[in-house]
Amino acid sequence: MPKILSIVDTAYRATLEEQDDTALWFTAACKTAGGNLTVLLTGNAVNYAVKYQNPRSLSFGKVEITHPEKPQDGLKRLIDKGVNVFMIRDDLEQRGIHPDSCIPGIENISRSHLSKFVSQYDLIWHW
Amino acid sequence: MSKTLTMLMMDPPYESSNTITALRIVEAALRKGNHVNVFAYEGAVSLTFKEQKKHANAVKGTTLEEEDHPLPKDLVASLVGLAKENNLRLTWTNCGLCVDERGVGNWIEGASRGSPADFIKAVTESDNALVIATT
């Protein structure tokens, strides 16, 4: 089984209408199917790790989006499945996100170590 | 000796140059004698939708025949044909949930319904894998 690094860079892509993040959902499904996957959050996707996100339900006329995704919960589900999750510390700092405001269980790495980090994997999927 | 490439495509038709780039990669791999597995995820499941129709282009002043508008389903069908002619394997798997969300289950011959489990199985059995996500 190849070691796969799933890099999630684009954030909040259809998370309201899908009620999940499509890249994280796909990663979880592949993990359930026996894949050996790790997730790396980069760019705006580091915001997924912030603890207290609470997207409100939206209504369009009489139709309501009842369960908008809380991305931090999606990450927790992945971690609970045994997926290791990392994020780029520099991307957190650039966005003024303190590590204490993030959910536990995610390891930070420096962008300067990215190439060495990536070289541990057989396949890279960039989302 | 043939190798196998597995690709995930995500963009819907007519929205991004990613689609044409991905289809060119598929064709290049087939022309070099390789097998290809495509997993169509999210909007890419509409690429094989059978009810796509050509149209005239009033802005350009072209008739239906003059415009001869390219349809993604025809491009995919042509690649499926190319694989067959050369005794190669081109599998085209549409994400089932993505199909249901969009109501595009009426697809051309050569496509089938599947799930991420099919993708990870194909990846495991391939020489390489490529994910082309929407941005």
Side-chain angles (χ1 to χ4, degrees):
Chain A
M1 177 62 68
K3 282 182 70 179
I4 300 163
L5 178 63
S6 194
I7 301 177
V8 181
D9 188 62
T10 299
Y12 301 97
R13 175 172 39 202
T15 50
L16 288 173
E17 57 267 49
E18 282 287 21
Q19 300 193 144
D20 55 49
D21 173 87
T22 51
L24 296 182
W25 180 89
F26 196 85
T27 301
C30 287
K31 173 70 177 175
T32 301
N36 181 2
L37 294 110
T38 297
V39 167
L40 173 65
L41 304 173
T42 66
N44 288 336
V46 298
N47 207 78
Y48 278 6
V50 173
K51 276 180 202 167
Y52 300 114
Q53 298 176 77
N54 189 18
R56 303 291 174 87
S57 59
L58 282 175
S59 292
F60 298 88
K62 291 179 180 173
V63 176
E64 192 177 0
I65 295 175
T66 50
H67 302 99
E69 169 72 338
K70 293 180 180 177
Q72 72 275 31
D73 291 348
L75 287 176
K76 279 182 204 161
R77 288 194 295 271
L78 272 178
I79 293 167
D80 290 345
K81 276 182 179 288
V83 174
N84 290 322
V85 179
F86 296 82
M87 56 187 169
I88 301 283
R89 183 184 306 119
D90 314 57
D91 292 343
L92 280 179
E93 290 169 358
Q94 284 173 2
R95 288 159 181 79
I97 303 170
H98 194 278
D100 288 349
S101 65
C102 297
I103 61 169
I106 303 178
E107 196 170 327
N108 296 347
I109 63 167
S110 161
R111 185 166 286 281
S112 63
H113 290 103
L114 185 58
S115 59
K116 192 176 175 188
F117 178 79
V118 164
S119 67
Q120 304 171 68
Y121 296 91
D122 302 307
L123 294 171
I124 309 296
W125 298 350
H126 187 257
W127 302 88
Chain B
M1 185 177 164
S2 294
K3 294 193 171 184
T4 302
L5 171 66
T6 294
M7 288 175 57
L8 180 146
M9 298 171 63
M10 197 171 172
D11 285 280
Y14 302 114
E15 299 287 344
S16 162
S17 58
N18 285 348
T19 303
I20 290 296
T21 300
L23 294 178
R24 290 182 69 192
I25 292 171
V26 173
E27 174 163 19
L30 292 173
R31 290 205 182 276
K32 287 177 184 279
N34 300 301
H35 306 291
V36 182
N37 303 308
V38 174
F39 188 85
Y41 187 45
E42 297 296 351
V45 295
S46 296
L47 290 168
T48 51
F49 189 46
K50 206 172 185 176
E51 294 172 36
Q52 296 168 18
K53 285 189 171 53
K54 297 189 179 206
H55 56 71
N57 192 324
V59 172
K60 285 160 59 184
T62 52
T63 64
L64 183 71
E65 292 75 22
E66 288 166 341
E67 177 69 16
D68 193 20
H69 204 72
L71 299 177
K73 65 167 183 171
D74 293 340
L75 305 182
V76 174
S78 178
L79 292 173
V80 170
L82 177 65
K84 270 188 190 163
E85 285 164 21
N86 292 283
N87 295 316
L88 296 167
R89 188 180 65 253
L90 170 57
T91 66
W92 189 285
T93 306
N94 287 322
C95 166
L97 298 183
C98 311
V99 167
D100 295 342
E101 288 171 342
R102 292 164 178 81
V104 291
N106 184 18
W107 53 56
I108 59 168
E109 195 178 331
S112 62
R113 182 185 177 99
S115 75
D118 297 299
F119 180 70
I120 196 71
K121 183 172 184 291
V123 166
T124 305
E125 295 167 357
S126 298
D127 296 281
N128 215 330
L130 183 60
V131 167
I132 303 178
T134 55
T135 50

